[in-house]
Amino acid sequence: MDRSRSARDTMRDLLPRLVLSPTVALIAIFVYGFIAFTTYLSFTDSRMLPSYDLVGAGNYTRLFGLRTWDIALTNLAIFGTLYIAICCALGLGLAILLDQKIRAEGVIRTIYLYPMALSFIVTGVAWKWILDPGIGIEAVVQGWGWESFAFDWIKDRDMAIYTIVIAAVWQTSGFVMAMFLAGLRGIDGEMLKAAQIDGASTFALYRRIVIPQLRPASLSSFVVLAHMAIKSYDLVVALTNGGPGTATEVPATFMYSYTFTRNQMGIGAASAVVMLMTVAAIVVPYLYSELREKS
Amino acid sequence: MAAPTANAVTAGTGDPARTGGTRLSARLPRLVLYALLGAFCLYYLLPLYVMVVNSFKPLEEITSGGMMALPGSWTGAPWRTAWSEAQIGVQPTGLRPYFLNSLLMVVPAVTIATLLGALNGYVLTKWRFRGATVLFGLILFGCFIPFQIVLIPMARTLGFIGAAGTVRGLVFVHVVYGISFATLYFRNYYAAFPTELIRAAQIDGAGFFQIFFRILLPSSGPIAVVCVIWLFTNIWNDFLFGASFADYDSQPMTVALNNLVQSSTGVKEYNVHFAGAIMAALPTLLVYIVAGRFFVRGLMSGSVKG
């Protein structure tokens, strides 16, 4: 009797852990184990296949000496900065406009947000042809009679990276709008009323009271956008495929081509590690503060 | 997750009582306001318009500078070509087999990941143990990693377990990296579920699984919908894993669409590309239109997300 009872108690204690264990095992192997494996490979002379001969930090030295990697990082900096800045500005602006007791707000919100449901490949295909000088905006405007109109950024080495910003902003800005709108709806109305009675101007109201209270929404938006920018791969592939030449190469496309088509797995692994570190530098402090607050 | 998310949920539900908190309106003329909002509607709708309109046009109408115009003569041919005739792999099969691949990949992956996520959320909130928060944090980090970091070992692993280049392999990959999100959703949802009910059931002698299936699961409807929609959208739209791990005959829709558009042989059939793009977009778009409320909720609570 006693024994069977204690067995049942043990079972009851064990069962929850048992249920959780497949997930723990999967995450341990396929997230952390794989991170360790790729990190290890980044210190080896792996080419087409993984090799286990360590060569020190040679891959990192070579990586940062590569012109393509340099271009990829510069592009990420340009793209990331503009993408985050424009998405936030547009998102905040639209959220404030939508927060003015608008009729048909639901419909408008649905329209602003639907691109978020699409695949980046679909977005890329649509914008690729819209921006194409042969059939897109340039051809259309010329057809309307403005013969000298030119808009060929997508074919222009110096401007192509900005076309990626255009398409990416189109896809994600509605999402940022939704984040800020949610933040606006959470603001205490009494406080605003009080400030209005005190004679604060609309501008001051927004600058002093509303926008500071949107900090949590801004922070989440920033983290999401930043890590999306670093991971962005599909959109670049679909829109420009890294071209013209290597003009729109980003770390994600660099990693893929060095690893799988150029047979430089060691360098590819090193670039993946750099990407992970960058994401971790943004995400880990954020997760830490969020989870600590909660528990 | 709490701070931004809790409020965020109401944004998607459009609770009319709470709309319009701040008042810029008195000073900004309503007409300007609506004109601005309308202009942005056009901006967001323009690419969709371009895709739809041009998918029904003969090719000449597009190449002669008529991208923004309505079709002069409507035709369904581009759709037929994109669906069943276009040359993507070895055979001129159109996108149909790849659409099917995507379905075969999405359905099991979403189902398995959601079930595992529900169980995990249950354990992490109702059977708390030392280190549960740390463990959750470690699981959550899986939502954020750039998947480039796992591509090489995953390619090896799929080869090792004999799932390289198969839809099965893709299902496996998506389950593994979908669990983090599913766990996040259910954990946050169950955290708000009254623990007293669980304790009461325990005193009445209900076991671990009885509590889960009889008490928690029946009230998990909303979060299950959120989770399913989120995973469905993410997995359907995935490109990186499909491009890395699929063979010609197991490619998902996104990869096939990209191949269709990027193929450099022959005339560029823009109208076919647009029809194909709509086909790839349709499932997730439909889900968004039908269940947008849940989509937004998922976006928000996963907005510590990916």
Side-chain angles (χ1 to χ4, degrees):
Chain A
M1 174 86 184
D2 236 352
R3 196 191 297 156
S4 80
R5 192 199 173 123
S6 77
R8 215 173 58 199
D9 279 357
T10 326
M11 192 61 208
R12 216 172 59 188
D13 283 349
L14 269 182
L15 199 56
R17 287 164 207 225
L18 212 61
V19 168
L20 203 58
S21 57
T23 301
V24 172
L26 286 176
I27 298 283
I29 297 169
F30 294 101
V31 175
Y32 296 96
F34 278 11
I35 289 175
F37 185 84
T38 306
T39 309
Y40 181 85
L41 282 187
S42 74
F43 292 105
T44 66
D45 58 357
S46 303
R47 291 280 182 153
M48 197 174 130
L49 293 170
S51 139
Y52 301 98
D53 300 328
L54 290 167
V55 291
N59 287 324
Y60 290 90
T61 329
R62 283 175 59 207
L63 176 69
F64 282 95
L66 283 170
R67 219 181 102 67
T68 323
W69 179 246
D70 198 44
I71 295 173
L73 286 185
T74 313
N75 278 338
L76 177 61
I78 297 174
F79 169 70
T81 312
L82 285 175
Y83 170 62
I84 294 172
I86 300 175
C87 273
C88 284
L90 198 59
L92 180 61
L94 291 177
I96 290 177
L97 291 183
L98 260 185
D99 197 33
Q100 311 296 325
K101 300 195 168 73
I102 295 298
R103 235 177 293 163
E105 186 203 311
V107 177
I108 298 178
R109 222 173 35 205
T110 306
I111 292 173
Y112 289 180
L113 198 58
Y114 87 91
M116 202 61 193
L118 302 182
S119 144
F120 271 117
I121 299 292
V122 172
T123 302
V125 171
W127 283 97
K128 182 188 180 74
W129 298 140
I130 292 175
L131 295 167
D132 189 272
I135 59 163
I137 297 175
E138 183 179 298
V140 170
V141 174
Q142 285 177 355
W144 288 342
W146 183 356
E147 300 283 340
S148 61
F149 179 82
F151 185 58
D152 57 355
W153 286 9
I154 201 164
K155 305 270 185 203
D156 182 337
R157 284 174 161 278
D158 296 325
M159 303 306 281
I161 188 71
Y162 300 105
T163 62
I164 296 177
V165 176
I166 294 176
V169 164
W170 176 80
Q171 173 134 0
T172 343
S173 48
F175 159 67
V176 182
M177 178 278 299
M179 298 278 285
F180 279 125
L181 191 58
L184 285 175
R185 296 284 151 81
I187 289 176
D188 181 11
E190 295 300 312
M191 202 197 233
L192 288 174
K193 252 181 224 147
Q196 260 174 339
I197 291 167
D198 285 353
S201 71
T202 307
F203 182 71
L205 213 63
Y206 271 90
R207 211 177 59 115
R208 296 274 169 73
I209 301 179
V210 176
I211 294 179
Q213 289 204 46
L214 291 176
R215 265 193 60 184
S218 317
L219 187 63
S220 310
S221 305
F222 172 79
V223 171
V224 172
L225 293 173
H227 106 284
M228 277 176 81
I230 296 163
K231 285 160 80 167
S232 61
Y233 174 72
D234 328 11
L235 183 63
V236 179
V237 168
L239 196 63
T240 62
N241 206 4
T246 54
T248 52
E249 204 77 56
V250 289
T253 55
F254 176 97
M255 185 274 164
Y256 195 89
S257 65
Y258 268 72
T259 306
F260 295 115
T261 51
R262 294 187 182 215
N263 298 331
Q264 300 270 4
M265 194 175 278
I267 292 181
S271 68
V273 171
V274 174
M275 288 176 69
L276 176 74
M277 292 303 183
T278 322
V279 170
I282 296 167
V283 168
V284 169
Y286 177 67
L287 287 184
Y288 183 75
S289 70
E290 290 276 331
L291 286 174
R292 218 170 59 142
E293 251 168 53
K294 207 169 185 186
S295 56
Chain B
M1 310 314 76
T5 10
N7 294 331
V9 172
T10 50
T13 53
D15 182 353
R18 295 185 58 198
T19 48
T22 44
R23 211 187 307 150
L24 187 70
S25 45
R27 323 214 167 139
L28 192 78
R30 302 297 280 177
L31 201 65
V32 177
L33 189 62
Y34 278 100
L36 266 172
L37 289 170
F40 276 103
C41 283
L42 290 182
Y43 162 68
Y44 286 109
L45 286 173
L46 179 84
L48 188 64
Y49 168 80
V50 167
M51 283 197 280
V52 173
V53 164
N54 288 289
S55 71
F56 288 107
K57 274 181 205 169
L59 193 54
E60 314 83 69
E61 284 190 33
I62 304 176
T63 47
S64 59
M67 182 183 258
M68 296 299 164
L70 286 169
S73 59
W74 293 76
T75 167
W79 282 77
R80 211 169 322 124
T81 311
W83 182 245
S84 56
E85 291 160 19
Q87 177 103 27
I88 292 160
V90 189
Q91 301 287 327
T93 54
L95 288 166
R96 185 172 45 190
Y98 305 100
F99 193 92
L100 206 67
N101 282 344
S102 272
L103 276 183
L104 289 175
M105 168 181 87
V106 164
V107 174
V110 169
T111 314
I112 299 168
T114 305
L115 283 175
L116 280 173
L119 279 168
N120 292 341
Y122 168 49
V123 174
L124 284 171
T125 52
K126 301 305 170 205
W127 299 82
R128 290 188 65 87
F129 47 90
R130 278 169 61 87
T133 306
V134 174
L135 187 66
F136 177 58
L138 288 171
I139 294 176
L140 207 53
F141 185 62
C143 298
F144 287 93
I145 55 167
F147 289 126
Q148 280 77 12
I149 198 81
V150 301
L151 286 187
I152 301 169
M154 186 53 96
R156 305 279 295 169
T157 307
L158 289 179
F160 185 70
I161 61 174
T166 64
V167 174
R168 266 182 309 128
L170 286 178
V171 170
F172 175 75
V173 174
H174 284 300
V175 167
V176 167
Y177 298 108
I179 290 180
S180 296
F181 274 117
T183 305
L184 161 68
Y185 288 138
F186 283 100
R187 188 242 187 209
N188 287 355
Y189 186 78
Y190 289 155
F193 192 89
T195 305
E196 299 78 50
L197 281 180
I198 311 283
R199 295 283 165 263
Q202 264 181 320
I203 291 163
D204 288 348
F208 176 84
F209 284 108
Q210 261 180 319
I211 294 175
F212 179 67
F213 285 107
R214 297 265 177 83
I215 300 177
L216 275 176
L217 212 52
S219 64
S220 308
I223 202 65
V225 176
V226 166
C227 181
V228 165
I229 287 178
W230 176 257
L231 290 176
F232 176 85
T233 309
N234 266 358
I235 298 175
W236 182 276
N237 288 342
D238 161 72
F239 177 76
L240 184 63
F241 287 144
S244 308
F245 305 135
D247 270 344
Y248 266 123
D249 51 2
S250 58
Q251 277 171 356
M253 192 67 178
T254 47
V255 178
L257 172 66
N258 189 55
N259 289 347
L260 172 73
V261 175
Q262 304 285 355
S263 76
S264 46
T265 51
V267 188
K268 281 204 172 4
E269 297 186 279
Y270 304 109
N271 47 2
V272 176
H273 300 171
F274 285 126
I278 299 174
M279 287 171 196
L282 221 45
T284 51
L285 213 48
L286 276 181
V287 166
Y288 173 66
I289 291 166
V290 172
R293 206 156 63 88
F294 293 99
F295 177 81
V296 177
R297 241 179 95 178
L299 211 55
M300 293 296 183
S301 34
S303 64
V304 243
K305 60 139 230 174

